[in-house]
Amino acid sequence: FARAGFGADDVSRAHAPFDASGFAPALDPARIAVFGARHDRVAPWETTQRWARAHGVTRLHDYDRGHTLILFTEDLFRDVAEQVLRE
């Protein structure tokens, strides 16, 4: 982005419509499970963790992947299935 002349503020403004950090969950936080990639540059894991802490979400699962490669993580599918079966 920098080479194209965009600064951090430009990127933040472009990303804002996709950022849920300003919204409280409509569901009971005890029923929410969050799955994320530690190396995600689109939806940074640190941002997701801050959102979860702010709203009392405690079921967090992180994986040693990026935004796209998380979809190819076998552990992710196992963990999602376990959470669904618990509910």
Side-chain angles (χ1 to χ4, degrees), residues 15-83:
H15 183 258
F18 306 101
D19 182 7
S21 64
F23 300 96
L27 298 173
D28 176 359
R31 297 195 64 199
I32 298 173
V34 176
F35 304 88
R38 283 192 297 266
H39 307 290
D40 194 327
R41 290 181 159 193
V42 177
W45 183 241
E46 295 79 14
T47 301
T48 302
Q49 288 176 304
R50 277 195 306 274
W51 175 87
R53 279 193 303 271
H55 299 293
V57 176
T58 59
R59 295 191 303 183
L60 301 173
H61 305 269
D62 61 313
Y63 305 90
D64 192 27
R65 296 282 188 266
H67 187 77
T68 302
L69 291 180
I70 192 171
L71 298 174
F72 300 100
T73 305
E74 189 174 321
D75 291 346
L76 169 69
F77 293 102
R78 183 198 66 234
D79 294 343
V80 168
E82 287 176 5
Q83 293 295 319

